[in-house]
Amino acid sequence: MGLTRNFSILPGDIIAVAEGEGPLSVLGDDVSVLTLDTGKMETGSVPLSAYVLLLSAVVCLSSIGPLLKVQDDATSCMKIVWRMTGTSLLLLPLAGYEVYTSGFPKLTWAQWFTFLLSTTCYDVSSLAFVISLSYTAVGNAVILSNSLALILLVGKIF
């Protein structure tokens, strides 16, 4: 489960960073990192690769709606099959490396249930997005599908 934890940001991490107390505090282009070896803050700058990665993520996520809309000869379910297969093939080397270095993760029944439920919910969400492209404009579908995080945050307040 090391890969999952290394690539995830927990709400507590975000709050700690926002208050400037966490392991990573970002102010402008200066980055302060708390090193575990010395326990001291080291200051550096944000690497250019971080900006390139952010820009490429924005471009990729913004272009998926129009690209799926252009494919008129495929059904919505087939579009999702292609998208999920492509994503799986792209992430397969990373998963293989993680299993090779750390071994196959030992999950409890609750963790398996959470894994299967989250996979099912992601599939339904992706299919609903592609089906919505048939009924509304691309802009509306993208805005509604990307506002899910805001809806969850508002729901947590109440």
Side-chain angles (χ1 to χ4, degrees):
M1 296 303 292
L3 180 68
T4 306
R5 177 61 184 117
N6 291 340
F7 286 142
S8 64
I9 297 174
L10 300 177
D13 296 337
I14 295 172
I15 293 169
V17 168
E19 294 173 350
E21 300 171 356
L24 179 64
S25 167
V26 179
L27 297 172
D29 286 341
D30 293 333
V31 177
S32 299
V33 179
L34 176 64
T35 59
L36 297 178
D37 300 334
T38 61
K40 296 182 180 178
M41 297 294 279
E42 295 179 4
T43 303
S45 64
V46 177
L48 179 63
S49 61
Y51 290 112
V52 171
L53 184 62
L54 179 63
L55 180 65
S56 65
V58 168
V59 169
C60 289
L61 289 175
S62 299
S63 63
I64 189 69
L67 290 177
L68 289 173
K69 184 74 171 174
V70 169
Q71 299 173 343
D72 290 331
D73 56 340
T75 64
S76 299
C77 291
M78 204 59 207
K79 292 176 188 179
I80 290 303
V81 168
W82 292 337
R83 182 178 176 190
M84 298 297 171
T85 302
T87 303
S88 299
L89 291 175
L90 188 67
L91 295 177
L92 183 63
L94 294 173
Y97 177 75
E98 181 68 23
V99 169
Y100 177 74
T101 57
S102 302
F104 193 78
K106 308 238 184 301
L107 301 177
T108 64
W109 285 107
Q111 291 171 328
W112 276 111
F113 177 74
T114 303
F115 172 73
L116 293 174
L117 182 65
S118 62
T119 303
T120 304
C121 290
Y122 179 70
D123 291 340
V124 169
S125 173
S126 297
L127 185 60
F129 171 72
V130 174
I131 290 173
S132 71
L133 291 174
S134 302
Y135 296 104
T136 188
V138 174
N140 293 338
V142 170
I143 289 171
L144 289 174
S145 67
N146 291 333
S147 64
L148 180 62
L150 294 174
I151 293 170
L152 291 174
L153 287 174
V154 170
K156 187 174 181 174
I157 293 173
F158 301 107

mmCIF file of all heavy atoms in Angstrom, residues 113-152:
data_model
loop_
_atom_site.group_PDB
_atom_site.id
_atom_site.type_symbol
_atom_site.label_atom_id
_atom_site.label_comp_id
_atom_site.label_asym_id
_atom_site.label_seq_id
_atom_site.Cartn_x
_atom_site.Cartn_y
_atom_site.Cartn_z
ATOM 1 N N PHE A 113 -13.496 -4.555 -0.088
ATOM 2 C CA PHE A 113 -14.828 -4.002 -0.363
ATOM 3 C C PHE A 113 -14.728 -2.541 -0.794
ATOM 4 O O PHE A 113 -15.377 -2.124 -1.761
ATOM 5 C CB PHE A 113 -15.719 -4.137 0.880
ATOM 6 C CG PHE A 113 -17.080 -3.527 0.696
ATOM 7 C CD1 PHE A 113 -18.039 -4.159 -0.082
ATOM 8 C CD2 PHE A 113 -17.395 -2.318 1.290
ATOM 9 C CE1 PHE A 113 -19.288 -3.595 -0.268
ATOM 10 C CE2 PHE A 113 -18.639 -1.744 1.110
ATOM 11 C CZ PHE A 113 -19.584 -2.384 0.330
ATOM 12 N N THR A 114 -13.893 -1.759 -0.086
ATOM 13 C CA THR A 114 -13.699 -0.356 -0.450
ATOM 14 C C THR A 114 -13.102 -0.236 -1.846
ATOM 15 O O THR A 114 -13.518 0.610 -2.644
ATOM 16 C CB THR A 114 -12.788 0.338 0.570
ATOM 17 O OG1 THR A 114 -13.363 0.212 1.868
ATOM 18 C CG2 THR A 114 -12.581 1.797 0.239
ATOM 19 N N PHE A 115 -12.147 -1.082 -2.159
ATOM 20 C CA PHE A 115 -11.517 -1.076 -3.485
ATOM 21 C C PHE A 115 -12.537 -1.372 -4.575
ATOM 22 O O PHE A 115 -12.620 -0.652 -5.582
ATOM 23 C CB PHE A 115 -10.375 -2.092 -3.517
ATOM 24 C CG PHE A 115 -9.785 -2.300 -4.875
ATOM 25 C CD1 PHE A 115 -8.983 -1.332 -5.447
ATOM 26 C CD2 PHE A 115 -10.033 -3.466 -5.577
ATOM 27 C CE1 PHE A 115 -8.432 -1.519 -6.695
ATOM 28 C CE2 PHE A 115 -9.492 -3.655 -6.832
ATOM 29 C CZ PHE A 115 -8.695 -2.687 -7.399
ATOM 30 N N LEU A 116 -13.324 -2.412 -4.388
ATOM 31 C CA LEU A 116 -14.316 -2.778 -5.404
ATOM 32 C C LEU A 116 -15.428 -1.734 -5.517
ATOM 33 O O LEU A 116 -15.885 -1.416 -6.618
ATOM 34 C CB LEU A 116 -14.902 -4.151 -5.099
ATOM 35 C CG LEU A 116 -13.915 -5.314 -5.235
ATOM 36 C CD1 LEU A 116 -14.554 -6.611 -4.764
ATOM 37 C CD2 LEU A 116 -13.412 -5.435 -6.657
ATOM 38 N N LEU A 117 -15.851 -1.173 -4.395
ATOM 39 C CA LEU A 117 -16.889 -0.144 -4.427
ATOM 40 C C LEU A 117 -16.393 1.123 -5.115
ATOM 41 O O LEU A 117 -17.104 1.710 -5.941
ATOM 42 C CB LEU A 117 -17.357 0.170 -3.006
ATOM 43 C CG LEU A 117 -18.484 1.200 -2.885
ATOM 44 C CD1 LEU A 117 -19.754 0.650 -3.535
ATOM 45 C CD2 LEU A 117 -18.729 1.541 -1.443
ATOM 46 N N SER A 118 -15.169 1.539 -4.810
ATOM 47 C CA SER A 118 -14.635 2.750 -5.450
ATOM 48 C C SER A 118 -14.407 2.527 -6.939
ATOM 49 O O SER A 118 -14.629 3.437 -7.750
ATOM 50 C CB SER A 118 -13.346 3.199 -4.774
ATOM 51 O OG SER A 118 -12.342 2.207 -4.896
ATOM 52 N N THR A 119 -13.996 1.333 -7.334
ATOM 53 C CA THR A 119 -13.842 1.015 -8.754
ATOM 54 C C THR A 119 -15.177 1.075 -9.471
ATOM 55 O O THR A 119 -15.292 1.657 -10.557
ATOM 56 C CB THR A 119 -13.218 -0.380 -8.923
ATOM 57 O OG1 THR A 119 -11.975 -0.426 -8.230
ATOM 58 C CG2 THR A 119 -13.005 -0.717 -10.376
ATOM 59 N N THR A 120 -16.203 0.511 -8.861
ATOM 60 C CA THR A 120 -17.539 0.539 -9.457
ATOM 61 C C THR A 120 -18.065 1.966 -9.563
ATOM 62 O O THR A 120 -18.615 2.358 -10.598
ATOM 63 C CB THR A 120 -18.504 -0.321 -8.616
ATOM 64 O OG1 THR A 120 -17.977 -1.647 -8.512
ATOM 65 C CG2 THR A 120 -19.880 -0.373 -9.246
ATOM 66 N N CYS A 121 -17.873 2.747 -8.521
ATOM 67 C CA CYS A 121 -18.341 4.143 -8.549
ATOM 68 C C CYS A 121 -17.610 4.949 -9.608
ATOM 69 O O CYS A 121 -18.217 5.779 -10.290
ATOM 70 C CB CYS A 121 -18.171 4.785 -7.173
ATOM 71 S SG CYS A 121 -19.307 4.147 -5.937
ATOM 72 N N TYR A 122 -16.313 4.724 -9.779
ATOM 73 C CA TYR A 122 -15.562 5.441 -10.809
ATOM 74 C C TYR A 122 -16.055 5.047 -12.203
ATOM 75 O O TYR A 122 -16.192 5.902 -13.079
ATOM 76 C CB TYR A 122 -14.068 5.167 -10.678
ATOM 77 C CG TYR A 122 -13.259 5.861 -11.744
ATOM 78 C CD1 TYR A 122 -13.114 7.242 -11.734
ATOM 79 C CD2 TYR A 122 -12.653 5.148 -12.775
ATOM 80 C CE1 TYR A 122 -12.388 7.896 -12.715
ATOM 81 C CE2 TYR A 122 -11.931 5.793 -13.753
ATOM 82 C CZ TYR A 122 -11.799 7.159 -13.719
ATOM 83 O OH TYR A 122 -11.092 7.799 -14.694
ATOM 84 N N ASP A 123 -16.327 3.761 -12.408
ATOM 85 C CA ASP A 123 -16.846 3.314 -13.704
ATOM 86 C C ASP A 123 -18.207 3.936 -14.005
ATOM 87 O O ASP A 123 -18.456 4.396 -15.130
ATOM 88 C CB ASP A 123 -16.952 1.784 -13.742
ATOM 89 C CG ASP A 123 -15.586 1.125 -13.750
ATOM 90 O OD1 ASP A 123 -14.602 1.803 -14.095
ATOM 91 O OD2 ASP A 123 -15.513 -0.065 -13.416
ATOM 92 N N VAL A 124 -19.074 3.963 -13.015
ATOM 93 C CA VAL A 124 -20.399 4.566 -13.209
ATOM 94 C C VAL A 124 -20.277 6.060 -13.477
ATOM 95 O O VAL A 124 -20.957 6.602 -14.357
ATOM 96 C CB VAL A 124 -21.300 4.295 -11.983
ATOM 97 C CG1 VAL A 124 -22.577 5.115 -12.033
ATOM 98 C CG2 VAL A 124 -21.627 2.812 -11.892
ATOM 99 N N SER A 125 -19.375 6.737 -12.758
ATOM 100 C CA SER A 125 -19.165 8.161 -12.977
ATOM 101 C C SER A 125 -18.646 8.440 -14.385
ATOM 102 O O SER A 125 -19.106 9.372 -15.060
ATOM 103 C CB SER A 125 -18.180 8.697 -11.939
ATOM 104 O OG SER A 125 -17.822 10.017 -12.216
ATOM 105 N N SER A 126 -17.700 7.640 -14.847
ATOM 106 C CA SER A 126 -17.166 7.825 -16.199
ATOM 107 C C SER A 126 -18.218 7.548 -17.258
ATOM 108 O O SER A 126 -18.328 8.283 -18.248
ATOM 109 C CB SER A 126 -15.961 6.907 -16.422
ATOM 110 O OG SER A 126 -14.926 7.237 -15.545
ATOM 111 N N LEU A 127 -19.012 6.508 -17.056
ATOM 112 C CA LEU A 127 -20.070 6.188 -18.013
ATOM 113 C C LEU A 127 -21.139 7.272 -18.031
ATOM 114 O O LEU A 127 -21.618 7.677 -19.096
ATOM 115 C CB LEU A 127 -20.693 4.829 -17.683
ATOM 116 C CG LEU A 127 -21.728 4.311 -18.665
ATOM 117 C CD1 LEU A 127 -21.117 4.137 -20.047
ATOM 118 C CD2 LEU A 127 -22.304 2.992 -18.178
ATOM 119 N N ALA A 128 -21.490 7.805 -16.867
ATOM 120 C CA ALA A 128 -22.469 8.887 -16.809
ATOM 121 C C ALA A 128 -21.951 10.135 -17.519
ATOM 122 O O ALA A 128 -22.715 10.835 -18.190
ATOM 123 C CB ALA A 128 -22.810 9.210 -15.352
ATOM 124 N N PHE A 129 -20.639 10.395 -17.410
ATOM 125 C CA PHE A 129 -20.060 11.543 -18.103
ATOM 126 C C PHE A 129 -20.189 11.386 -19.615
ATOM 127 O O PHE A 129 -20.601 12.311 -20.317
ATOM 128 C CB PHE A 129 -18.597 11.711 -17.708
ATOM 129 C CG PHE A 129 -17.864 12.740 -18.528
ATOM 130 C CD1 PHE A 129 -18.121 14.081 -18.356
ATOM 131 C CD2 PHE A 129 -16.925 12.356 -19.460
ATOM 132 C CE1 PHE A 129 -17.457 15.034 -19.102
ATOM 133 C CE2 PHE A 129 -16.258 13.296 -20.215
ATOM 134 C CZ PHE A 129 -16.517 14.639 -20.035
ATOM 135 N N VAL A 130 -19.861 10.205 -20.121
ATOM 136 C CA VAL A 130 -19.908 10.000 -21.566
ATOM 137 C C VAL A 130 -21.351 10.006 -22.061
ATOM 138 O O VAL A 130 -21.652 10.564 -23.120
ATOM 139 C CB VAL A 130 -19.190 8.689 -21.949
ATOM 140 C CG1 VAL A 130 -19.363 8.384 -23.420
ATOM 141 C CG2 VAL A 130 -17.716 8.798 -21.618
ATOM 142 N N ILE A 131 -22.264 9.441 -21.301
ATOM 143 C CA ILE A 131 -23.677 9.461 -21.706
ATOM 144 C C ILE A 131 -24.209 10.893 -21.678
ATOM 145 O O ILE A 131 -24.985 11.293 -22.546
ATOM 146 C CB ILE A 131 -24.510 8.534 -20.804
ATOM 147 C CG1 ILE A 131 -24.145 7.074 -21.097
ATOM 148 C CG2 ILE A 131 -25.998 8.757 -21.009
ATOM 149 C CD1 ILE A 131 -24.773 6.077 -20.157
ATOM 150 N N SER A 132 -23.755 11.697 -20.719
ATOM 151 C CA SER A 132 -24.230 13.083 -20.641
ATOM 152 C C SER A 132 -23.788 13.898 -21.852
ATOM 153 O O SER A 132 -24.436 14.894 -22.204
ATOM 154 C CB SER A 132 -23.748 13.748 -19.360
ATOM 155 O OG SER A 132 -22.358 14.005 -19.407
ATOM 156 N N LEU A 133 -22.709 13.495 -22.501
ATOM 157 C CA LEU A 133 -22.268 14.199 -23.708
ATOM 158 C C LEU A 133 -23.307 14.093 -24.831
ATOM 159 O O LEU A 133 -23.353 14.941 -25.709
ATOM 160 C CB LEU A 133 -20.924 13.657 -24.191
ATOM 161 C CG LEU A 133 -19.722 13.957 -23.307
ATOM 162 C CD1 LEU A 133 -18.490 13.243 -23.838
ATOM 163 C CD2 LEU A 133 -19.482 15.442 -23.196
ATOM 164 N N SER A 134 -24.140 13.048 -24.799
ATOM 165 C CA SER A 134 -25.175 12.876 -25.810
ATOM 166 C C SER A 134 -26.366 13.791 -25.559
ATOM 167 O O SER A 134 -27.151 14.046 -26.467
ATOM 168 C CB SER A 134 -25.668 11.429 -25.828
ATOM 169 O OG SER A 134 -24.605 10.544 -26.081
ATOM 170 N N TYR A 135 -26.531 14.271 -24.330
ATOM 171 C CA TYR A 135 -27.720 15.027 -23.966
ATOM 172 C C TYR A 135 -27.488 16.512 -23.708
ATOM 173 O O TYR A 135 -28.434 17.277 -23.606
ATOM 174 C CB TYR A 135 -28.373 14.411 -22.726
ATOM 175 C CG TYR A 135 -28.880 13.022 -22.981
ATOM 176 C CD1 TYR A 135 -28.192 11.922 -22.501
ATOM 177 C CD2 TYR A 135 -30.037 12.809 -23.717
ATOM 178 C CE1 TYR A 135 -28.652 10.637 -22.741
ATOM 179 C CE2 TYR A 135 -30.495 11.538 -23.970
ATOM 180 C CZ TYR A 135 -29.803 10.453 -23.477
ATOM 181 O OH TYR A 135 -30.251 9.193 -23.726
ATOM 182 N N THR A 136 -26.226 16.917 -23.552
ATOM 183 C CA THR A 136 -25.941 18.322 -23.251
ATOM 184 C C THR A 136 -24.635 18.723 -23.916
ATOM 185 O O THR A 136 -23.948 17.900 -24.512
ATOM 186 C CB THR A 136 -25.873 18.544 -21.724
ATOM 187 O OG1 THR A 136 -25.771 19.937 -21.459
ATOM 188 C CG2 THR A 136 -24.719 17.818 -21.102
ATOM 189 N N ALA A 137 -24.297 19.979 -23.805
ATOM 190 C CA ALA A 137 -23.064 20.487 -24.403
ATOM 191 C C ALA A 137 -21.849 19.964 -23.630
ATOM 192 O O ALA A 137 -21.943 19.604 -22.461
ATOM 193 C CB ALA A 137 -23.073 22.007 -24.381
ATOM 194 N N VAL A 138 -20.719 19.948 -24.305
ATOM 195 C CA VAL A 138 -19.491 19.456 -23.687
ATOM 196 C C VAL A 138 -19.137 20.284 -22.458
ATOM 197 O O VAL A 138 -18.755 19.736 -21.423
ATOM 198 C CB VAL A 138 -18.336 19.481 -24.718
ATOM 199 C CG1 VAL A 138 -17.024 19.118 -24.060
ATOM 200 C CG2 VAL A 138 -18.620 18.543 -25.860
ATOM 201 N N GLY A 139 -19.293 21.596 -22.555
ATOM 202 C CA GLY A 139 -18.966 22.469 -21.429
ATOM 203 C C GLY A 139 -19.784 22.158 -20.192
ATOM 204 O O GLY A 139 -19.252 22.097 -19.080
ATOM 205 N N ASN A 140 -21.088 21.934 -20.373
ATOM 206 C CA ASN A 140 -21.939 21.601 -19.220
ATOM 207 C C ASN A 140 -21.535 20.270 -18.598
ATOM 208 O O ASN A 140 -21.498 20.133 -17.368
ATOM 209 C CB ASN A 140 -23.406 21.545 -19.645
ATOM 210 C CG ASN A 140 -23.937 22.894 -20.035
ATOM 211 O OD1 ASN A 140 -23.407 23.912 -19.633
ATOM 212 N ND2 ASN A 140 -24.997 22.901 -20.835
ATOM 213 N N ALA A 141 -21.254 19.289 -19.428
ATOM 214 C CA ALA A 141 -20.873 17.973 -18.910
ATOM 215 C C ALA A 141 -19.557 18.044 -18.145
ATOM 216 O O ALA A 141 -19.419 17.447 -17.072
ATOM 217 C CB ALA A 141 -20.761 16.970 -20.058
ATOM 218 N N VAL A 142 -18.588 18.794 -18.663
ATOM 219 C CA VAL A 142 -17.291 18.908 -17.996
ATOM 220 C C VAL A 142 -17.428 19.655 -16.673
ATOM 221 O O VAL A 142 -16.868 19.250 -15.657
ATOM 222 C CB VAL A 142 -16.270 19.608 -18.926
ATOM 223 C CG1 VAL A 142 -14.992 19.956 -18.184
ATOM 224 C CG2 VAL A 142 -15.952 18.722 -20.116
ATOM 225 N N ILE A 143 -18.185 20.743 -16.678
ATOM 226 C CA ILE A 143 -18.366 21.509 -15.444
ATOM 227 C C ILE A 143 -19.058 20.666 -14.380
ATOM 228 O O ILE A 143 -18.641 20.640 -13.218
ATOM 229 C CB ILE A 143 -19.150 22.807 -15.727
ATOM 230 C CG1 ILE A 143 -18.270 23.782 -16.504
ATOM 231 C CG2 ILE A 143 -19.635 23.437 -14.429
ATOM 232 C CD1 ILE A 143 -19.001 24.994 -17.014
ATOM 233 N N LEU A 144 -20.110 19.964 -14.757
ATOM 234 C CA LEU A 144 -20.834 19.148 -13.773
ATOM 235 C C LEU A 144 -20.001 17.978 -13.269
ATOM 236 O O LEU A 144 -20.018 17.663 -12.075
ATOM 237 C CB LEU A 144 -22.152 18.660 -14.367
ATOM 238 C CG LEU A 144 -23.211 19.742 -14.552
ATOM 239 C CD1 LEU A 144 -24.422 19.176 -15.289
ATOM 240 C CD2 LEU A 144 -23.625 20.335 -13.230
ATOM 241 N N SER A 145 -19.249 17.330 -14.143
ATOM 242 C CA SER A 145 -18.452 16.186 -13.699
ATOM 243 C C SER A 145 -17.277 16.617 -12.835
ATOM 244 O O SER A 145 -16.879 15.906 -11.916
ATOM 245 C CB SER A 145 -17.961 15.380 -14.888
ATOM 246 O OG SER A 145 -17.034 16.133 -15.636
ATOM 247 N N ASN A 146 -16.715 17.795 -13.102
ATOM 248 C CA ASN A 146 -15.575 18.265 -12.317
ATOM 249 C C ASN A 146 -15.985 18.991 -11.042
ATOM 250 O O ASN A 146 -15.138 19.318 -10.223
ATOM 251 C CB ASN A 146 -14.683 19.169 -13.166
ATOM 252 C CG ASN A 146 -13.972 18.390 -14.236
ATOM 253 O OD1 ASN A 146 -13.715 17.201 -14.089
ATOM 254 N ND2 ASN A 146 -13.652 19.037 -15.324
ATOM 255 N N SER A 147 -17.264 19.253 -10.871
ATOM 256 C CA SER A 147 -17.715 19.921 -9.654
ATOM 257 C C SER A 147 -18.053 18.930 -8.544
ATOM 258 O O SER A 147 -18.485 19.339 -7.468
ATOM 259 C CB SER A 147 -18.928 20.800 -9.954
ATOM 260 O OG SER A 147 -20.019 20.000 -10.363
ATOM 261 N N LEU A 148 -17.832 17.656 -8.769
ATOM 262 C CA LEU A 148 -18.139 16.644 -7.756
ATOM 263 C C LEU A 148 -17.358 16.885 -6.467
ATOM 264 O O LEU A 148 -17.907 16.741 -5.371
ATOM 265 C CB LEU A 148 -17.855 15.241 -8.300
ATOM 266 C CG LEU A 148 -18.139 14.088 -7.361
ATOM 267 C CD1 LEU A 148 -19.618 14.060 -7.004
ATOM 268 C CD2 LEU A 148 -17.719 12.783 -7.965
ATOM 269 N N ALA A 149 -16.101 17.285 -6.586
ATOM 270 C CA ALA A 149 -15.302 17.544 -5.382
ATOM 271 C C ALA A 149 -15.897 18.679 -4.566
ATOM 272 O O ALA A 149 -15.937 18.619 -3.331
ATOM 273 C CB ALA A 149 -13.865 17.861 -5.772
ATOM 274 N N LEU A 150 -16.391 19.713 -5.243
ATOM 275 C CA LEU A 150 -17.025 20.825 -4.523
ATOM 276 C C LEU A 150 -18.313 20.381 -3.841
ATOM 277 O O LEU A 150 -18.605 20.806 -2.719
ATOM 278 C CB LEU A 150 -17.314 21.975 -5.483
ATOM 279 C CG LEU A 150 -16.089 22.666 -6.071
ATOM 280 C CD1 LEU A 150 -16.510 23.685 -7.117
ATOM 281 C CD2 LEU A 150 -15.279 23.313 -4.978
ATOM 282 N N ILE A 151 -19.071 19.543 -4.512
ATOM 283 C CA ILE A 151 -20.311 19.034 -3.918
ATOM 284 C C ILE A 151 -20.004 18.225 -2.664
ATOM 285 O O ILE A 151 -20.687 18.346 -1.642
ATOM 286 C CB ILE A 151 -21.099 18.203 -4.947
ATOM 287 C CG1 ILE A 151 -21.596 19.105 -6.081
ATOM 288 C CG2 ILE A 151 -22.260 17.472 -4.294
ATOM 289 C CD1 ILE A 151 -22.168 18.348 -7.265
ATOM 290 N N LEU A 152 -18.953 17.414 -2.709
ATOM 291 C CA LEU A 152 -18.563 16.615 -1.531
ATOM 292 C C LEU A 152 -18.092 17.513 -0.382
ATOM 293 O O LEU A 152 -18.395 17.241 0.779
ATOM 294 C CB LEU A 152 -17.481 15.617 -1.907
ATOM 295 C CG LEU A 152 -17.922 14.486 -2.837
ATOM 296 C CD1 LEU A 152 -16.727 13.647 -3.249
ATOM 297 C CD2 LEU A 152 -18.973 13.623 -2.170
#
